[in-house]
Amino acid sequence: MQISVIRFVAFCLALACVGAESSIEQPYRTAYHFQPPKNWMNDPNGPMFYKGVYHLFYQYNPYGPLWGNITWAHSVSYDLVNWLHLPHALSPTDPFDIKGCFSGSTTILSDGKPAILYTGVYANDSQVQNLALPANLTDPFLTEWVKSPLNPLIIPIDGIDPKNFRDPSTAWQGPDGIWRVIVGGHQNGQGKAILYQSKDFVNWIRSTNPLRSSAKTGMFECPDFYPVSINGNYGVDTSSQDKLTKHVLKASFNGNDYYILGSYTPQTDNFSAESDFLDGSFDFRYDYGKFYASKTFYDSSKKRRISWGWIAEMDGDANALEKGWSGLQSIPRSILLSKTGKQLIQWPIKEIETLRAENVSIQEKQLKGGSVLEVLGVPASQADVEVAFDLTNLKKAEFMVPDGVDPRALGSQQTASFRGMVGPFGLLVLASQGLTEQTAVFVRIFKICCAHV
Ligand SMILES: *[C@@H]1O[C@H](CO)[C@@H](O)[C@H](O)[C@H]1NC(C)=O
Ligand SMILES: *[C@@H]1O[C@H](CO)[C@@H](O)[C@H](O)[C@H]1NC(C)=O
Ligand SMILES: *[C@@H]1O[C@H](CO)[C@@H](O)[C@H](O)[C@H]1NC(C)=O
Ligand SMILES: *[C@@H]1O[C@H](CO)[C@@H](O)[C@H](O)[C@H]1NC(C)=O
Ligand SMILES: *[C@@H]1O[C@H](CO)[C@@H](O)[C@H](O)[C@H]1NC(C)=O
């Protein structure tokens, strides 16, 4: 098998080329991802674009690098890359959120004003949904937020588990002008996206049926519900009435962000899904690695839908205490429906490329079976890589019946050291001298076969 690298470019980042890479005290801080200067961070909250400014709120502990004292921290940016850290937007100061200002979302209301819906936790651990509004709409950064005197607006009744009732989504408006929002919950042994309706964004009435429920999933954390354009290259506003769309329902459980696609009828609030969560051996997730509690928003300036997800670290409390921080946000990704209409596709937003600094480039190099081409000149710990491979002969590729195969299971059976007919080939990252340590990012080629089995 002949493989050649047609084009390989690895960029080091402005920061990582010189600064972060040589920082002995903080070798693991990233030069690409969003991180606060210190302390604990988890879920992204209420991302939005408002009057020329991107906002990101996030779950934050102002007092240390472990989870606790959960507050809405707030940062703003003009480009989704460079961020300014503002005072906290919401802190646990009232009876209805004294044990934490948990996750939630922003919605741009019909008059163009933004609103936050978030979960507050009472001293007895009961979770309720609250509203907060900007104190000063002429402040472009919306620095100060005021909690509604009517809080809590939505409380857990009728068998909704009060300790598992949280994370209101961005609301959307039906053709009748009424707002809808979903809240993650657990009721009668089922995980649910519980649906509420409101005319004024203050008085919320629970709908008879949840938008979706499941006996298999446990509670739906951080539910997200939004339209994606069929055959379109643009994102769609959450309240869009465009008929040429499908809807995505995302829920976080079992440590992953799962989604299902379907068609939504706002007149009846019926979401008719094409598949179910945890349906058979294969299911769709945003990511198969460490990526959780994600949230999307519609970027009206560039007509795209962008997703952020929390990347929890796995290095334990002792390391977090030593580093003084824990957690990062994913690179923002734009989300579209694939041309087949059967799944979502994601790509890092273009703006991230502005972080690229010096590059190392390799062109037209042949790779023989078993060989490794070492790339020098970029830091191994952090690099942005583009690579294209050319394969001369695919005749020998093995056959695969797509409907009968779970690519993830296959990937873990046939690891990077399992020799196939065409592949594996790819990149060894974070590799040590002599390759005693390495992480393989690899590809294996199959031919799609024949009839359904
Ligand atoms: C943070 O929360 C813990 C309980 O989780 C509490 O004991 C502590 O007093 C809080 N710290 C501050 C500064 O509020
Ligand atoms: C928790 O406290 C709130 C506020 O006092 C109260 O309304 C609610 O009923 C309590 N929940 C439970 C489960 O006791
Ligand atoms: C509101 O924000 C504007 C712009 O930052 C500022 O000039 C004004 O003083 C603020 N108003 C109040 C009442 O704080
Ligand atoms: C929702 O739509 C599907 C497909 O059209 C239909 O089978 C189902 O009965 C509807 N459910 C409700 C609650 O209207
Ligand atoms: C990489 O750097 C070289 C100069 O060293 C430059 O000619 C080339 O355009 C760069 N490639 C990219 C993709 O930026």
Side-chain angles (χ1 to χ4, degrees):
M1 185 75 225
Q2 264 320 341
I3 297 179
S4 35
V5 177
I6 338 188
R7 193 178 117 81
F8 171 99
V9 197
F11 298 87
C12 73
L13 302 154
L15 267 175
C17 298
V18 281
E21 183 70 359
S22 60
S23 163
I24 290 153
E25 288 106 63
Q26 292 287 1
Y28 304 113
R29 275 187 82 80
T30 150
Y32 288 87
H33 299 74
F34 178 92
Q35 285 185 307
K38 60 176 184 176
N39 293 342
W40 169 271
M41 171 172 67
N42 56 297
D43 308 359
N45 292 149
M48 67 171 168
F49 179 76
Y50 178 73
K51 291 196 175 159
V53 179
Y54 291 100
H55 293 255
L56 179 65
F57 305 87
Y58 52 93
Q59 298 278 282
Y60 183 65
N61 182 351
Y63 306 109
L66 305 181
W67 185 89
N69 309 93
I70 290 297
T71 296
W72 273 49
H74 184 194
S75 301
V76 288
S77 172
Y78 291 112
D79 59 9
L80 290 164
V81 174
N82 300 290
W83 293 88
L84 178 68
H85 302 298
L86 298 181
H88 305 324
L90 302 170
S91 297
T93 51
D94 294 84
F96 52 76
D97 61 17
I98 197 68
K99 270 205 160 170
C101 298
F102 280 15
S103 287
S105 305
T106 49
T107 302
I108 312 281
L109 303 180
S110 330
D111 55 7
K113 294 177 190 162
I116 288 175
L117 285 173
Y118 74 101
T119 298
V121 187
Y122 273 103
N124 62 11
D125 292 322
S126 195
Q127 300 176 353
V128 293
Q129 317 313 322
N130 302 318
L131 174 68
L133 298 167
N136 180 0
L137 283 164
T138 55
D139 165 14
F141 291 165
L142 304 173
T143 310
E144 199 187 328
W145 291 76
V146 180
K147 296 174 192 172
S148 168
L150 298 168
N151 286 338
L153 302 187
I154 305 178
I155 59 171
I157 52 168
D158 295 340
I160 297 172
D161 177 359
K163 293 184 183 173
N164 285 298
F165 181 54
R166 55 183 177 267
D167 311 337
S169 70
T170 293
W172 69 96
Q173 206 170 19
D176 50 11
I178 293 173
W179 288 101
R180 280 103 167 138
V181 74
I182 49 173
V183 180
H186 203 253
Q187 186 187 26
N188 308 325
Q190 294 198 316
K192 289 187 178 174
I194 306 173
L195 183 68
Y196 294 83
Q197 291 197 357
S198 177
K199 287 189 176 132
D200 58 7
F201 224 77
V202 170
N203 296 288
W204 292 91
I205 296 164
R206 183 158 43 103
S207 300
T208 316
N209 297 314
L211 189 73
R212 189 81 190 170
S213 57
S214 169
K216 294 188 224 162
T217 59
M219 189 209 157
F220 289 180
E221 289 197 285
C222 302
D224 197 9
F225 188 61
Y226 56 89
V228 280
S229 176
I230 296 169
N231 269 321
N233 293 318
Y234 290 98
V236 183
D237 181 77
T238 314
S239 293
S240 167
Q241 309 294 332
D242 187 342
K243 295 261 183 318
L244 284 173
T245 58
K246 281 191 183 186
H247 267 74
V248 180
L249 176 64
K250 186 277 295 184
S252 305
F253 51 85
N254 296 353
N256 282 106
D257 280 18
Y258 295 85
Y259 70 87
I260 52 178
L261 291 166
S263 86
Y264 167 67
T265 312
Q267 285 77 10
T268 56
D269 282 326
N270 184 346
F271 175 55
S272 173
E274 293 164 7
S275 60
D276 205 354
F277 290 119
L278 303 181
D279 196 6
S281 65
F282 188 67
D283 43 49
F284 288 123
R285 306 181 198 177
Y286 281 175
D287 199 301
Y288 295 85
K290 206 69 195 153
F291 184 93
Y292 197 68
S294 67
K295 203 160 284 290
T296 64
F297 73 103
Y298 177 64
D299 173 6
S300 56
S301 73
K302 297 203 171 155
K303 292 197 167 59
R304 56 187 174 174
R305 182 163 290 272
I306 294 174
S307 137
W308 287 95
W310 167 44
I311 301 174
E313 292 168 280
M314 309 276 286
D315 57 354
D317 289 359
N319 284 320
L321 289 165
E322 195 181 317
K323 293 186 314 211
W325 55 271
S326 181
L328 32 145
Q329 299 299 335
S330 67
I331 300 290
R333 306 166 176 191
S334 61
I335 290 199
L336 290 172
L337 187 64
S338 74
K339 292 286 169 243
T340 65
K342 289 183 180 167
Q343 67 186 92
L344 297 175
I345 51 173
Q346 307 168 68
W347 199 255
I349 57 161
K350 190 85 185 148
E351 285 91 328
I352 289 299
E353 293 175 15
T354 61
L355 287 170
R356 292 173 170 184
E358 291 152 42
N359 76 50
V360 170
S361 153
I362 297 167
Q363 320 272 334
E364 307 290 347
K365 276 260 191 216
Q366 264 190 15
L367 295 175
K368 294 209 174 66
S371 68
V372 176
L373 180 67
E374 191 179 355
V375 178
L376 295 168
V378 282
S381 57
Q382 302 196 44
D384 186 355
V385 177
E386 283 181 9
V387 59
F389 293 98
D390 183 44
L391 297 114
T392 46
N393 186 354
L394 295 177
K395 281 205 190 91
K396 285 193 177 150
E398 291 138 280
F399 282 105
M400 172 202 275
V401 185
D403 286 357
V405 171
D406 176 349
R408 273 179 296 133
L410 188 65
S412 52
Q413 289 152 10
Q414 301 194 0
T415 61
S417 53
F418 183 97
R419 196 89 178 247
M421 294 307 284
V422 181
F425 60 92
L427 303 173
L428 299 177
V429 299
L430 289 169
S432 65
Q433 285 292 338
L435 302 182
T436 47
E437 279 186 40
Q438 62 192 41
T439 298
V441 180
F442 66 97
V443 176
R444 190 188 301 282
I445 306 281
F446 291 87
K447 280 193 259 196
I448 288 176
C449 172
C450 5
H452 287 233
V453 173

